[in-house]
Amino acid sequence: LTTDFFTPIVDDPYDFGAIAAANALSDVYAMGGRPLTALNIVGFPDASLEPSVLAEILRGGAEKAREAGIDVVGGHTIKSDEPIYGLSVTGIVHPAQVLSNDRGRAGDLLVLSKPIGLGIITTAAKNDVDHEHAIGEAIRVMCMLNRDAAEAAREIGVHAVTDVTGFGLLGHLRNMTTASRCEAEVWLEAVPVLRAAWTYVRAGVAPGGTHANWRFLNDWVEYEAGLELAAQLVLCDAQTSGGLLMSVPPERAGALVEALERRGTLAAAVVGRLTEGATGRIRVQARAHAAQAS
């Protein structure tokens, strides 16, 4: 049983509904589950917005749920100062097949199934500085279900999984390394990043959540000397409906990448590895040494 909801991050009501639904469903996929049903969670300012806006939000959520093979069977709406939307999702998984973030092992490689930079791009769009018109690509990423990535994880047999959302790539990896009692290395050049995110973050555009993540993670992350602040912020960028980060034995990493690519996920990138060391610590390097990446 899981729930997730938030205020709009895009202008189009239909897209907002679809993104919020995909984001809520991701919590079930990240644990190896299969969603069964969902309930709408809605706040709506009916004095300032037309009912047609609410209808489009709900249509976006319902169609994304249908893509996941389930129905939205009800829900509850309250009046609010701004729109709020999300889902409460019920899923099912066999207890012996639950995927969690606490079973990573030193030596595992880390594989990511979606590019990052979503928070930076949506913030640029909110501030009317999305000069590269990157919001369309960001919406496509956020609307993609993590169903295929979860299927690949179950097929290959990964050790640990987390979805990458509000805490950013490094924040969710920190949670994985803390729960798994190990350290991690991240190789910046291997991390898939939406191109426009680099442009915007170097121009000073990043959401407040990204800066908050960066400040918190300074106690946990050691960045390679000379690594620019923009790169650090990208790795800490607060995502909405991001991909799955999977910890997989090195001998199965190639098979996992192939399984992701076969299913058409938006990324299938080996971005680092888990190592022995102090619980929760992360080292970020500009690139991997050949022996580390193999």
Side-chain angles (χ1 to χ4, degrees):
L1 301 171
T2 185
T3 188
D4 208 323
F5 51 92
F6 44 78
T7 56
I9 59 170
V10 295
D11 289 335
D12 184 83
Y14 177 90
D15 289 337
F16 170 45
I19 292 166
N23 185 69
L25 287 158
S26 183
D27 289 334
V28 173
Y29 294 131
M31 295 193 69
R34 176 173 59 87
L36 296 177
T37 60
L39 297 172
N40 281 323
I41 298 170
V42 183
F44 192 71
D46 58 357
S48 57
L49 291 177
E50 293 295 324
S52 60
V53 174
L54 177 57
E56 281 298 284
I57 294 172
L58 297 179
R59 186 171 72 89
E63 292 190 0
K64 186 55 59 174
R66 195 168 300 120
E67 181 184 336
I70 68 170
D71 289 317
V72 178
V73 296
H76 187 68
T77 303
I78 63 169
K79 293 183 179 182
S80 58
D81 292 334
E82 58 183 324
I84 299 168
Y85 181 66
L87 298 179
S88 174
V89 185
T90 299
I92 189 170
V93 62
H94 190 284
Q97 297 173 343
V98 171
L99 301 177
S100 65
N101 70 351
D102 63 352
R103 298 172 189 168
R105 301 175 189 172
D108 284 356
L109 292 177
L110 297 166
V111 179
L112 182 64
S113 69
K114 282 187 183 183
I116 62 174
L118 297 165
I120 293 165
I121 290 175
T122 55
T123 298
K126 283 183 182 179
N127 295 341
D128 294 323
V129 293
D130 181 21
H131 305 306
E132 298 193 19
H133 308 289
I135 190 62
E137 183 181 12
I139 289 171
R140 182 173 71 92
V141 174
M142 291 186 287
C143 282
M144 173 168 268
L145 294 172
N146 278 323
R147 175 181 54 196
D148 292 336
E151 288 177 355
R154 289 194 299 269
E155 173 190 329
I156 301 305
V158 303
H159 283 157
V161 179
T162 180
D163 57 342
V164 179
T165 53
F167 296 144
L169 175 63
L170 294 186
H172 287 282
L173 177 57
R174 176 261 176 194
N175 291 346
M176 180 185 287
T177 55
T178 300
S180 300
R181 300 183 182 278
C182 60
E183 287 191 0
E185 294 175 354
V186 171
W187 310 320
L188 175 63
E189 70 172 5
V191 177
V193 180
L194 294 170
R195 184 185 56 80
W198 285 115
T199 301
Y200 298 148
V201 74
R202 286 171 176 148
V205 177
T210 295
H211 287 283
N213 290 341
W214 179 81
R215 289 191 297 270
F216 171 80
L217 288 165
N218 276 334
D219 291 333
W220 296 90
V221 180
E222 176 187 348
Y223 297 99
E224 183 177 294
L227 199 71
E228 63 175 326
L229 176 59
Q232 298 176 32
L233 289 172
V234 164
L235 295 176
C236 297
D237 188 37
Q239 307 297 282
T240 298
S241 192
L244 298 187
L245 179 65
M246 295 158 277
S247 161
V248 62
E251 65 272 15
R252 298 183 205 159
L256 178 58
V257 168
E258 191 278 331
L260 293 168
E261 291 175 340
R262 186 172 68 248
R263 288 171 170 81
T265 59
L266 296 176
V270 178
V271 300
R273 66 172 182 170
L274 299 183
T275 62
E276 297 280 2
T279 296
R281 300 291 300 176
I282 300 171
R283 296 182 303 279
V284 176
Q285 303 169 187
R287 57 186 58 85
H289 300 300
Q292 294 172 324
S294 61

